[in-house]
Amino acid sequence: MTSGPTWTIAQIAEEFGVTHRTVRHYEDLGLISPERQGTRRIYHRRDRTRLGLILRGKRLGFPLEEIRTIVDLFDAPRGRRAQLEYVLGQIDERRADLEQRLRDAQDALRELDQFERRCRDDLEKLG
Amino acid sequence: MTSGPTWTIAQIAEEFGVTHRTVRHYEDLGLISPERQGTRRIYHRRDRTRLGLILRGKRLGFPLEEIRTIVDLFDAPRGRRAQLEYVLGQIDERRADLEQRLRDAQDALRELDQFERRCRDDLEKLG
DNA sequence: ATCGTGCTTTACGTTGACGTAAAGGTCAAC
DNA sequence: GTTGACCTTTACGTCAACGTAAAGCACGAT
């Protein structure tokens, strides 16, 4: 059925720079649902995509529960009109959050640049 | 000495949308050091500035300990050359972090827009 | 067949970031 | 002079996000 390359838990953990414990923790919270061959976990490309989304969400400071609602949104069935309208509403909320983060990062970078110039000025005055 | 408007802990907590417990917690970690009149805390403009920096750092997902090193950086004495060069090095590290957050937010927003277009397409197909 | 490697579950421990009483000081107002 | 509003410290509780054993299965290699 779902073919293509696969990975073990150790491989994707290594590749994404996290521990296997972290990956399983995300599974406990329902953020990833890898295939099983017997008892072993088998990860496909879509699992890697989701893990990438999760870690980016974490870097942006979102809690895992909120991240789950977001990644679930992308995989939601969205067949009926009501479902689509709900999803579009959620998108707007998330965008507002993300735009705030974007402004925060831009503001912080501007202040950092400004501060660096002051420091370089001070340094120059010292000869 | 340091004149100008002042605030109580309840006032700045209210204004910044956090609890007084949160503000005192930041003080415990050395992130803010309000003046004292007797036992009461008196907050000045610089405390408000720092609190603003702290909360923005939090929104961006930085841990409080790291935030402390950053805000301390801005108030550091930076008189000697060695100190200035250390500060400039720290600035570069922080900038790399912030630029990553900026890219994360931009990428996420792009994907969100793309996803929204797909949803609107689906909605249109439904009549 | 047993040894090592890599995986598994179960479960208690830890750290960060506060929440939440409990018990009390101060001061203006009634 | 006592009530009430607002502040204080001290200290235990909580929740998220994992860390860290402990104990055991599976399987290829020696």
Side-chain angles (χ1 to χ4, degrees):
Chain A
M1 32 182 70
T2 56
S3 192
T6 63
W7 293 264
T8 71
I9 191 168
Q11 287 169 343
I12 66 160
E14 161 76 24
E15 187 175 342
F16 281 88
V18 296
T19 68
H20 58 291
R21 180 66 181 86
T22 297
V23 177
R24 284 207 314 277
H25 181 57
Y26 295 163
E27 182 176 350
D28 287 345
L29 297 186
L31 286 155
I32 321 180
S33 308
E35 188 197 341
R36 296 284 180 132
Q37 281 184 7
T39 154
R40 302 298 177 86
R41 293 171 173 84
I42 304 293
Y43 295 87
H44 294 262
R45 251 195 302 264
R46 36 178 292 280
D47 298 313
R48 291 163 46 90
T49 304
R50 286 178 78 98
L51 185 51
L53 287 175
I54 294 163
L55 295 179
R56 190 178 66 193
K58 274 211 59 189
R59 285 196 301 274
L60 287 171
F62 292 102
L64 291 179
E65 278 297 330
E66 194 171 344
I67 293 176
R68 183 166 56 120
T69 73
I70 301 176
V71 293
D72 281 354
L73 212 62
F74 282 88
D75 289 349
R78 67 179 199 288
R80 300 178 317 284
R81 167 178 304 270
Q83 176 65 12
L84 273 167
E85 275 160 0
Y86 167 76
V87 167
L88 283 168
Q90 286 287 309
I91 288 176
D92 280 354
E93 284 185 31
R94 300 311 158 190
R95 175 156 37 221
D97 256 9
L98 284 169
E99 282 168 350
Q100 179 62 51
R101 302 299 198 279
L102 189 68
R103 279 192 301 272
D104 286 335
Q106 285 170 340
D107 292 350
L109 277 170
R110 265 193 291 273
E111 286 170 23
L112 212 59
D113 285 349
Q114 194 174 339
F115 184 58
E116 185 182 14
R117 276 194 291 276
R118 295 217 316 264
C119 286
R120 295 209 178 281
D121 279 2
D122 289 3
L123 200 60
E124 202 155 342
K125 281 171 194 158
L126 285 182
Chain B
M1 33 182 71
T2 57
S3 194
T6 62
W7 293 265
T8 72
I9 191 167
Q11 286 168 343
I12 67 160
E14 161 76 23
E15 187 174 342
F16 282 88
V18 296
T19 68
H20 57 291
R21 180 65 181 86
T22 297
V23 177
R24 283 207 314 277
H25 181 57
Y26 295 163
E27 183 176 349
D28 286 344
L29 298 185
L31 286 154
I32 320 180
S33 307
E35 188 197 340
R36 296 285 180 130
Q37 282 183 8
T39 153
R40 303 297 177 87
R41 294 171 174 84
I42 304 292
Y43 295 86
H44 294 262
R45 251 195 302 265
R46 36 178 292 279
D47 299 312
R48 291 164 46 92
T49 303
R50 287 178 77 100
L51 186 51
L53 287 175
I54 294 164
L55 295 179
R56 191 177 66 194
K58 275 212 59 189
R59 285 197 302 272
L60 287 170
F62 292 101
L64 291 178
E65 278 297 331
E66 194 170 343
I67 292 175
R68 182 167 56 121
T69 73
I70 301 177
V71 293
D72 281 354
L73 212 62
F74 282 87
D75 287 350
R78 67 178 199 287
R80 303 179 313 284
R81 168 178 302 271
Q83 176 65 11
L84 273 166
E85 276 160 359
Y86 167 77
V87 166
L88 283 167
Q90 285 288 310
I91 288 177
D92 280 354
E93 283 184 32
R94 300 311 157 191
R95 173 154 40 219
D97 256 10
L98 284 170
E99 282 169 349
Q100 178 64 51
R101 301 299 199 281
L102 190 66
R103 279 193 301 273
D104 286 335
Q106 286 169 341
D107 292 349
L109 278 169
R110 266 193 292 273
E111 287 169 24
L112 211 61
D113 285 349
Q114 193 174 338
F115 184 58
E116 185 182 13
R117 276 193 292 275
R118 295 218 315 264
C119 286
R120 295 209 177 280
D121 278 3
D122 289 4
L123 201 59
E124 201 154 343
K125 279 170 194 158
L126 284 181

